Amino acid sequence: MAMTGLDIFKLLPKTNCKECGVPTCMAFAMKLASKSAELSACPYASEEAQEKIGAASRPPMRTVTLGPAERPVVLGGETVMFRHEKTFVHPTAIAVSLPDTLPVEELRSQAAAIASYCLERVGEELRVDLILVDNVSGDPTTFVEAVKAVRSAAACGLVLKSESPRALREAGEQLQGERPLLYCATPVNADALAEVAKLLKAPLVARADTVEELAGLAAELARQGVEDLVLEAPAGNPAALLQQNTLIRKSALKSAFRPLGFPLLNTVTGRDPVELVADASTSICKYASVMVIDSGEPEVLLPLLMLRQNVFTDPQKPIQVEPGVYPIGDAGPDSPVLVTTNFSLTYFIVSSEAENAGVPVHLAVVESEGMSVLTAWAAGKFSAEKIAAFLKSQPAMEGLTTRRVVVPGYVSQISGELEDGLPGWEVLVGPQEASDITPFLRTRLAASAA
C-alpha cells in the first residue's frame, strides 16, 4: 500500500536541515510521496526509514544522465502519462546517426554541421543533443577512429552502436568521463556488455524483440549492477511502436513495474523525409526519451525541434520574457510605446512585426505571468490599472517625451481607463492580429506622428 506524506514524515529525522534541497522535512516527505524525489537526498535518514520508505518512494522511471559534463543530456524521470496531468520534465534527446564507413573528413564535416545546427525560437536555442556512431563496418579499429573523428568535430554527447563488446570498450575508452550511451545489450551479449558498461561507468541500451523479453533483460542487467539503462523494443511499424511505448510507460508509471521503469529509445531511419518527420513526431509525443534519426537536414530537424519544444514546455509555467521597455529599431524619446504581455511567443511575434514595419517604437512588456493578451486580461493581469502602474515604474520611460501608447485591439475596452491612469497620454487601439501590426505602424501611427 502506498505511503502518504504524513506516514513518510514520521520516519524522517525532522531536523529541517535543508540539505536535501527542500525547506522542511514535511515538504520533502510530500515530494517522496509523489515520487518526485529519492530518499538518498536525505543524509540523515535512519536505517528504518531507508527500509520502509526507500522502495515505496522511488520514482517510477529512473533518471539517466549521459554526455560530457559541460553539455549533459538527462533522460527519463517522468511521473505522468499525459502532460496536462503535471508536466513532462526531460525533453526527448534527438540523435542523428552516422556510419563509421564514411571517410574520416566526411565524418568530421557532418558531425560539425549537426552539432552546430541551432534554431532560436521564443528565446530558446534548439539543438541536436546526440550523435550516434554506428559500427557498420564491423571493425573495432575503424569504429574507434570514427568515434575520435566525430568527437574532434562535435562537443555533444555520443551514442556508440556496435554488436562487438570489444569495439564498444575501446571506443568508450576514448571518451573517459563523458558517459557515452552504449548501444546495445541483447539477450545474447548481455553479460559481456554489462561488464563493459560497468568498466566505463556508462549507461547502456537494453534491446529485445518483445516487451516481455525486454523486461527480463532489464531485470538481469540490473541484477548484474547496471542500473543506468535505456530500453528499446523494436517494432515493425509506427502503430506497433506507439502501442509498445504506451504499454511500457503505463507499466512503469501506473503499475510501478520496476523492470520497465527506464527511459525509452526509438529509431526511425531510411525513409522519405516527410514520413521520417511524421513517425519521429509520434515517438516524441509518445514516449521516446531518445529519438534516433538518420538525417541531419534542416527540413527534418526544424519541425522535430519545434515539436519537442512545444511538447516539453511546462503547461503550468509558460515561457516568459523579462518585463521591461525594449527599443525597436532606432527608437528615440518621441517614439510611441506599444504594450503587450510577457508571454514569449506574443513578445517575439509582436517585436518581429514591429521590426518589419521599420517604424521606431518602444515595446513595453508588462508582467502578466507569461499569459497571452486575452488570457491575461481575463485573469486581471493585463488591466488598465496594471499597465499604467507598470509604465510609471519603468526607468526607461523617464527619458521619453512621447505621450502616445498603443494597446492590443483585443483589449480595446481598457483604453478609456488607461487614459485616466495616464493623464496627458493619447491611447491608441492597435490591431487585433499580429499580422496587421506592420501596416498599422506604417500607416496610422506614422501618419499620426506626421
Side-chain angles (χ1 to χ4, degrees), residues 27 183 427:
Y183 184 166
V427 178

Side-chain angles (χ1 to χ4, degrees), residues 4-139:
T4 67
L6 187 57
D7 292 334
I8 294 173
F9 175 69
K10 292 175 181 177
L11 295 169
L12 294 179
K14 306 179 184 67
T15 58
N16 296 332
C17 66
K18 302 180 179 63
E19 291 185 38
C20 62
V22 181
T24 65
C25 287
M26 176 57 84
F28 183 58
M30 299 307 293
K31 289 179 71 70
L32 289 173
S34 66
K35 300 185 183 297
S36 58
E38 294 193 38
L39 184 61
S40 58
C42 175
Y44 306 112
S46 66
E47 291 185 6
E48 180 188 9
Q50 293 176 24
E51 181 180 348
K52 293 184 177 180
I53 301 174
S57 64
R58 177 182 168 185
M61 182 187 294
R62 186 171 179 83
T63 299
V64 176
T65 302
L66 55 103
E70 60 273 14
R71 194 171 168 180
V73 177
V74 184
L75 312 173
E78 305 297 343
T79 60
V80 296
M81 291 290 295
F82 306 105
R83 190 180 77 131
H84 65 264
E85 293 178 297
K86 190 174 182 182
T87 185
F88 295 157
V89 293
H90 293 130
T92 302
I94 295 177
V96 178
S97 63
L98 296 174
D100 67 349
T101 49
L102 290 175
V104 170
E105 287 304 317
E106 180 66 17
L107 277 170
R108 288 197 184 100
S109 175
Q110 289 198 31
I114 292 166
S116 63
Y117 180 81
C118 179
L119 171 65
E120 185 172 343
R121 182 170 183 256
V122 294
E124 293 187 358
E125 291 186 347
L126 311 181
R127 300 177 181 274
V128 171
D129 306 279
L130 303 165
I131 294 178
L132 183 149
V133 184
D134 192 350
N135 186 201
V136 175
S137 69
D139 177 46

Side-chain angles (χ1 to χ4, degrees), residues 46-320:
S46 66
E47 291 185 6
E48 180 188 9
Q50 293 176 24
E51 181 180 348
K52 293 184 177 180
I53 301 174
S57 64
R58 177 182 168 185
M61 182 187 294
R62 186 171 179 83
T63 299
V64 176
T65 302
L66 55 103
E70 60 273 14
R71 194 171 168 180
V73 177
V74 184
L75 312 173
E78 305 297 343
T79 60
V80 296
M81 291 290 295
F82 306 105
R83 190 180 77 131
H84 65 264
E85 293 178 297
K86 190 174 182 182
T87 185
F88 295 157
V89 293
H90 293 130
T92 302
I94 295 177
V96 178
S97 63
L98 296 174
D100 67 349
T101 49
L102 290 175
V104 170
E105 287 304 317
E106 180 66 17
L107 277 170
R108 288 197 184 100
S109 175
Q110 289 198 31
I114 292 166
S116 63
Y117 180 81
C118 179
L119 171 65
E120 185 172 343
R121 182 170 183 256
V122 294
E124 293 187 358
E125 291 186 347
L126 311 181
R127 300 177 181 274
V128 171
D129 306 279
L130 303 165
I131 294 178
L132 183 149
V133 184
D134 192 350
N135 186 201
V136 175
S137 69
D139 177 46
T141 302
T142 301
F143 185 53
V144 170
E145 292 304 312
V147 170
K148 290 165 65 175
V150 171
R151 165 50 65 243
S152 68
C156 61
L158 297 186
V159 182
L160 308 182
K161 182 179 180 180
S162 177
E163 296 179 358
S164 165
R166 174 194 163 191
L168 288 176
R169 176 177 56 78
E170 293 182 359
E173 288 172 348
Q174 307 298 317
L175 307 170
Q176 290 294 330
E178 295 191 20
R179 289 180 62 81
L181 178 59
L182 307 181
Y183 184 166
C184 60
T186 67
V188 175
N189 67 2
D191 293 344
L193 261 293
E195 292 304 315
V196 174
K198 289 189 287 185
L199 175 67
L200 299 175
K201 298 179 180 179
L204 177 64
V205 176
R207 175 188 172 111
D209 292 334
T210 68
V211 173
E212 292 77 10
E213 290 179 353
L214 185 61
L217 177 59
E220 173 60 22
L221 289 168
R223 188 190 65 78
Q224 294 189 39
V226 182
E227 296 185 339
D228 285 344
L229 293 174
V230 176
L231 308 182
E232 182 185 30
N237 57 71
L241 186 62
L242 171 61
Q243 186 177 29
Q244 283 186 170
N245 284 1
T246 304
L247 174 61
I248 293 172
R249 177 80 159 232
K250 189 174 182 179
S251 298
L253 270 54
K254 299 299 184 182
S255 302
F257 186 56
R258 298 299 184 194
L260 295 179
F262 298 95
L264 292 174
L265 180 146
N266 289 168
T267 300
V268 179
T269 60
R271 305 187 186 185
D272 173 84
V274 175
E275 292 182 357
L276 190 154
V277 169
D279 294 343
S281 296
T282 300
S283 289
I284 289 174
C285 294
K286 303 278 186 178
Y287 290 101
S289 292
V290 181
M291 182 70 257
V292 179
I293 56 177
D294 61 354
S295 173
E297 296 301 318
E299 62 267 27
V300 171
L301 296 179
L302 185 146
L304 294 180
L305 291 171
M306 290 179 63
L307 171 68
R308 181 182 68 178
Q309 183 189 40
N310 291 337
V311 171
F312 287 89
T313 296
D314 188 342
Q316 301 177 40
K317 298 177 182 177
I319 303 176
Q320 306 177 32

